[in-house]
Amino acid sequence: MEHIGALQAVVTADEYDREPTAAELDAIERESPLILAEVDLLDAQITALDRTPTELDVRRIRRARNRVLTARRDLVNRTTGVTGGAA
Protein backbone atom coordinates (compact mmCIF):
# COMPACT_ATOMS: atom_id res chain seq x y z
CA MET A 1 0.00 0.00 0.00
CA GLU A 2 1.30 3.44 -0.91
CA HIS A 3 1.33 6.18 1.73
CA ILE A 4 -0.88 9.12 0.82
CA GLY A 5 0.39 12.38 2.27
CA ALA A 6 -0.35 16.05 1.82
CA LEU A 7 1.62 17.45 -1.06
CA GLN A 8 0.59 21.04 -0.44
CA ALA A 9 1.18 23.47 2.39
CA VAL A 10 -1.10 23.34 5.38
CA VAL A 11 -4.51 24.72 4.47
CA THR A 12 -5.01 26.57 7.74
CA ALA A 13 -1.98 28.76 7.91
CA ASP A 14 -0.90 30.48 11.10
CA GLU A 15 -1.99 33.84 9.72
CA TYR A 16 -5.65 32.89 10.19
CA ASP A 17 -5.18 31.38 13.64
CA ARG A 18 -4.19 34.60 15.34
CA GLU A 19 -6.02 37.18 17.41
CA PRO A 20 -6.95 40.52 15.79
CA THR A 21 -4.31 43.19 15.99
CA ALA A 22 -4.84 46.52 17.74
CA ALA A 23 -5.24 48.21 14.35
CA GLU A 24 -7.93 45.74 13.31
CA LEU A 25 -9.79 46.22 16.57
CA ASP A 26 -9.60 50.00 16.12
CA ALA A 27 -11.03 49.66 12.62
CA ILE A 28 -13.91 47.55 13.92
CA GLU A 29 -14.59 50.11 16.63
CA ARG A 30 -14.59 52.95 14.08
CA GLU A 31 -17.02 51.04 11.84
CA SER A 32 -19.34 49.85 14.62
CA PRO A 33 -21.88 52.72 14.27
CA LEU A 34 -22.27 51.85 10.58
CA ILE A 35 -22.53 48.14 11.35
CA LEU A 36 -25.23 48.76 13.96
CA ALA A 37 -27.16 51.05 11.60
CA GLU A 38 -27.04 48.40 8.87
CA VAL A 39 -28.29 45.77 11.33
CA ASP A 40 -31.21 48.06 12.24
CA LEU A 41 -32.04 48.52 8.55
CA LEU A 42 -31.90 44.79 7.95
CA ASP A 43 -34.14 44.19 10.95
CA ALA A 44 -36.69 46.69 9.64
CA GLN A 45 -36.64 45.10 6.19
CA ILE A 46 -37.02 41.57 7.59
CA THR A 47 -39.98 42.69 9.69
CA ALA A 48 -41.78 43.92 6.58
CA LEU A 49 -40.96 40.88 4.41
CA ASP A 50 -43.84 38.56 5.17
CA ARG A 51 -46.64 41.09 5.20
CA THR A 52 -47.79 44.21 3.43
CA PRO A 53 -45.73 47.03 4.93
CA THR A 54 -47.73 49.45 7.03
CA GLU A 55 -47.04 53.17 7.17
CA LEU A 56 -45.11 52.52 10.37
CA ASP A 57 -42.94 49.91 8.62
CA VAL A 58 -42.25 52.32 5.75
CA ARG A 59 -41.21 55.05 8.20
CA ARG A 60 -39.02 52.64 10.16
CA ILE A 61 -37.22 51.51 6.99
CA ARG A 62 -36.80 55.09 5.77
CA ARG A 63 -35.34 56.20 9.12
CA ALA A 64 -33.03 53.19 9.21
CA ARG A 65 -31.79 54.00 5.68
CA ASN A 66 -31.13 57.58 6.75
CA ARG A 67 -29.16 56.35 9.77
CA VAL A 68 -27.06 54.12 7.49
CA LEU A 69 -26.34 57.02 5.16
CA THR A 70 -25.44 59.27 8.08
CA ALA A 71 -23.16 56.63 9.58
CA ARG A 72 -21.46 56.09 6.21
CA ARG A 73 -20.94 59.83 5.78
CA ASP A 74 -19.52 60.17 9.28
CA LEU A 75 -17.21 57.20 8.76
CA VAL A 76 -15.90 58.56 5.47
CA ASN A 77 -15.36 62.00 6.99
CA ARG A 78 -13.46 60.53 9.96
CA THR A 79 -11.44 58.21 7.73
CA THR A 80 -10.52 61.01 5.36
CA GLY A 81 -9.36 63.12 8.29
CA VAL A 82 -7.30 60.25 9.69
CA THR A 83 -5.46 59.40 6.49
CA GLY A 84 -5.01 63.05 5.59
CA GLY A 85 -5.01 62.43 1.86
CA ALA A 86 -7.42 63.13 -0.94
CA ALA A 87 -7.82 60.92 -3.96
Side-chain angles (χ1 to χ4, degrees), residues 18-28:
R18 62 175 175 74
E19 295 292 322
T21 64
E24 291 170 336
L25 291 173
D26 289 342
I28 292 169

Side-chain angles (χ1 to χ4, degrees), residues 38-87:
E38 288 175 338
V39 168
D40 288 342
L41 174 59
L42 186 60
D43 185 45
Q45 291 171 333
I46 289 172
T47 301
L49 270 180
D50 60 347
R51 64 175 189 235
T52 304
T54 64
E55 182 62 32
L56 185 62
D57 292 332
V58 172
R59 281 190 226 157
R60 184 175 178 214
I61 291 170
R62 185 177 60 240
R63 288 178 182 150
R65 279 190 187 135
N66 289 337
R67 282 192 297 271
V68 168
L69 292 174
T70 301
R72 283 183 185 166
R73 181 198 64 210
D74 294 344
L75 179 63
V76 168
N77 287 341
R78 281 194 309 259
T79 306
T80 304
V82 169
T83 58

